[in-house]
C-alpha cells in the first residue's frame, strides 16, 4: 500500500527540485553529486545533500553486504529492522528532498578535464556530476568450507554486536585463524559459558595464550573444519577432519574483506591490508580520497567501522563535507 503524499509535500518536493537544478553551474552537468551505493552510508549522504538543495543521483544494484541477515540490530529506534526495510525507508526520505535513483550498476567513472565526472551505468547511460561519493561497501571473503555460505547471516555471524544477543547463553563457536581473531574471540567469551574455539588447522596459539583460554573453560579444536551442518538456516554442528561433529548453535568469524566494487582500484585508490580505502580528513571534513572531487563513505572506507550506525554517521558527515565543498565552489565562483 503506497504512502499518501499531500499537496504541500508535492509543492516542497517541486521547489527543492527547482532549487537544486540551479546548483549545477548553469545546467551543464546532470547532477551535483552521484552516489554509488544505496546502503545506509550512501542514503545518509544523499539525505544530507538533498536537504542542502543539491541534485543527487543514487545508483545501486541491490547487492547489500547484510542481505543474508533477517534483522539488523544496534541502530537506535530501528533495532531488529529487516535490512531491506531500512533501505526502503531511507529511499523514501531521500526522495522527499528530490533525490533520484537508478537500480543499476555503475561500471565506470572518469574525471573530466572541466572539473567534473562522467560515469557510465550498466545500461550504457552516461551521467555527469560535479562530485562522486563511493558508498560501494565491501565483500566478505568466506571460506570454501561446505555449508559456510549457506549459514552465513543466519547461523554464522561476523558481528557480535549485531547478532550476539540473540544467541546469548547458547553453545557457541568462534573461528580463530590468526592473531587478530584471538582478540576477537574474547568478545564472544562474553556471550556464553559454552564456547569452543576452532582454529581450522591453523597454528595460532602458543603455549601461554592457549593456557589462558583453557583456564577459562574454553575448549580449543585444532582439527580443520570440513563442513557446517544444520537445516532451515539454523546451525547444528561443525564437522572436523577427524570425523567428529561438534554441536554448536552459532559460529562467529570475521572474514577478510575486499572492495565490493572495482571502481576504487580503477580510479587509482590504494586499498590497505584490511581491504579498505584509506580516507583522509581535514578541517574541511572527512571522506576525502586521493582523487580531487571523489569521496568515500561507509564500509568501503577506513574511516568507518563496519556497522549500520557507523555507516549512517559516516554518510552524514561525508554528505555534509561534500556540500561544504560545493558551497565554497559556488560562493567563490559566483553561482546562483
Amino acid at each position: 500500500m503506497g504512502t499518501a503524499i499531500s499537496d504541500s509535500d508535492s509543492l516542497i518536493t517541486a521547489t527543492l527540485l527547482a532549487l537544486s537544478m540551479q546548483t549545477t553551474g548553469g545546467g551543464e552537468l546532470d547532477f551535483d553529486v552521484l552516489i554509488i551505493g544505496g546502503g545506509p552510508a550512501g542514503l545518509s549522504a544523499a539525505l544530507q545533500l538533498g536537504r542542502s538543495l543539491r541534485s543527487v543521483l543514487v545508483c545501486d544494484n541491490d547487492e547489500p553486504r547484510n542481505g543474508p541477515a533477517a534483522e539488523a540490530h544496534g541502530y537506535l529506534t530501528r533495532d531488529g529492522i529487516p535490512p531491506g526495510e531500512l533501505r526502503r525507508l531511507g529511499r523514501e526520505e531521500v526522495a522527499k528532498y528530490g533525490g533520484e535513483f537508478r537500480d543499476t550498476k555503475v561500471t565506470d567513472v572518469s574525471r573530466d578535464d572541466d572539473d567534473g565526472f562522467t560515469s557510465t551505468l550498466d545500461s550504457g547511460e552516461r551521467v555527469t556530476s560535479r562530485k562522486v561519493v563511493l558508498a560501494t561497501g565491501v565483500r566478505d571473503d568466506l571460506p570454501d568450507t561446505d555449508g559456510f555460505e549457506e549459514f552465513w547471516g543466519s547461523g554464522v555471524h561476523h558481528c557480535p554486536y549485531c547478532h550476539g544477543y540473540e544467541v546469548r547463553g547458547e553453545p557457541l563457536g568462534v573461528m580463530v585463524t590468526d592473531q587478530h581473531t584471538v582478540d576477537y574471540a574474547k568478545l564472544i567469551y562474553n556471550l556464553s559459558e559454552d564456547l569452543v574455539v576452532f582454529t581450522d588447522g591453523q597454528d595460532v596459539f602458543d603455549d601461554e595464550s592457549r593456557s589462558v583460554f583453557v583456564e577459562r573453560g574454553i575448549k580449543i579444536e585444532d582439527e580443520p573444519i570440513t563442513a557446517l551442518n544444520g537445516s532451515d538456516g539454523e546451525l547444528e554442528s561443525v564437522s572436523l577432519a577427524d570425523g567428529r561433529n561438534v554441536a554448536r548453535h552459532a559460529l562467529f568469524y570475521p572474514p577478510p574483506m575486499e572492495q565490493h566494487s572495482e571502481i576504487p582500484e580503477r580510479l587509482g585508490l590504494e586499498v590497505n591490508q584490511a581491504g579498505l580505502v584509506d580516507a583522509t580528513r581535514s578541517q574541511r571534513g572527512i571522506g576525502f580520497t586521493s582523487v580531487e572531487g571523489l569521496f568515500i563513505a561507509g564500509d568501503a572506507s577506513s574511516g568507518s567501522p563496519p556497522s549500520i550506525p557507523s555507516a549512517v554517521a559516516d554518510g552524514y558527515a561525508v554528505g555534509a563535507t561534500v556540500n561544504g565543498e560545493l558551497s565554497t565552489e559556488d560562493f567563490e565562483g559566483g553561482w546562483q
Side-chain angles (χ1 to χ4, degrees):
M1 183 175 180
T3 302
I5 301 177
S6 67
D7 291 340
S8 60
D9 286 339
S10 299
L11 179 59
I12 291 172
T13 301
T15 302
L16 288 169
L17 281 168
L19 287 170
S20 65
M21 291 291 288
Q22 298 175 16
T23 66
T24 57
E28 295 179 359
L29 301 178
D30 298 323
F31 296 94
D32 286 320
V33 185
L34 169 66
I35 298 177
I36 308 176
L43 291 173
S44 182
L47 182 62
Q48 305 316 313
L49 287 161
R51 285 181 53 81
S52 300
L53 308 183
R54 301 299 176 183
S55 58
V56 179
L57 174 64
V58 180
C59 291
D60 184 79
N61 63 340
D62 195 27
E63 294 180 356
R65 183 187 184 193
N66 61 2
E71 296 178 342
H73 292 279
Y75 188 24
L76 192 64
T77 77
R78 291 292 184 268
D79 187 66
I81 188 172
E85 177 67 6
L86 181 64
R87 293 192 299 275
R88 185 190 68 79
L89 292 172
R91 280 194 168 210
E92 285 187 356
E93 292 183 350
V94 171
K96 186 172 67 173
Y97 296 102
E100 297 185 33
F101 296 89
R102 301 277 199 285
D103 295 325
T104 187
K105 180 180 180 180
V106 177
T107 57
D108 189 49
V109 176
S110 61
R111 183 163 176 78
D112 301 328
D113 294 335
D114 58 353
D115 199 29
F117 294 86
T118 297
S119 302
T120 304
L121 311 187
D122 205 25
S123 62
E125 178 185 0
R126 291 190 174 186
V127 174
T128 56
S129 60
R130 293 171 65 185
K131 309 293 181 186
V132 171
V133 175
L134 298 177
T136 43
V138 292
R139 180 185 295 110
D140 295 306
D141 186 12
L142 302 181
D144 293 331
T145 305
D146 185 32
F148 210 100
E149 186 172 356
E150 175 187 353
F151 293 106
W152 183 247
S154 58
V156 184
H157 305 290
H158 162 254
C159 177
Y161 297 105
C162 303
H163 303 289
Y165 184 86
E166 283 64 42
V167 295
R168 67 196 184 282
E170 298 286 351
L172 303 180
V174 56
M175 284 181 61
V176 175
T177 56
D178 55 31
Q179 290 303 311
H180 164 69
T181 47
V182 171
D183 289 332
Y184 172 83
K186 298 172 184 178
L187 297 175
I188 314 305
Y189 172 69
N190 179 60
L191 298 174
S192 175
E193 296 180 356
D194 184 357
L195 179 62
V196 175
V197 167
F198 298 93
T199 67
D200 197 24
Q202 302 300 309
D203 185 16
V204 178
F205 292 98
D206 56 26
D207 290 341
E208 182 179 356
S209 59
R210 180 180 292 269
S211 65
V212 171
F213 274 76
V214 172
E215 287 172 2
R216 284 154 180 76
I218 302 171
K219 186 175 182 179
I220 299 177
E221 293 284 0
D222 291 312
E223 287 288 323
I225 297 173
T226 57
L228 304 183
N229 314 296
S231 59
D232 299 324
E234 296 291 332
L235 183 68
E236 296 174 0
S237 66
V238 177
S239 294
L240 304 179
D242 61 6
R244 290 181 297 125
N245 290 323
V246 181
R248 294 292 93 182
H249 181 74
L251 181 68
F252 285 85
Y253 173 61
M257 298 177 294
E258 58 187 18
Q259 290 291 307
H260 184 269
S261 170
E262 67 279 2
I263 290 177
E265 184 176 358
R266 188 175 297 169
L267 288 169
L269 303 184
E270 292 189 6
V271 177
N272 62 28
Q273 290 184 337
L276 307 175
V277 173
D278 285 324
T280 60
R281 64 175 62 217
S282 70
Q283 293 182 340
R284 290 154 48 197
I286 71 171
F288 295 94
T289 71
S290 57
V291 176
E292 183 69 25
L294 178 71
F295 299 80
I296 191 162
D299 286 1
S301 163
S302 63
S304 173
S307 71
I308 288 177
S310 297
V312 171
D314 197 49
Y316 171 92
V318 171
T321 298
V322 174
N323 180 62
E325 295 294 291
L326 291 169
S327 296
T328 298
E329 292 174 8
D330 293 349
F331 184 83
E332 294 179 353
W335 288 354
Q336 296 295 323

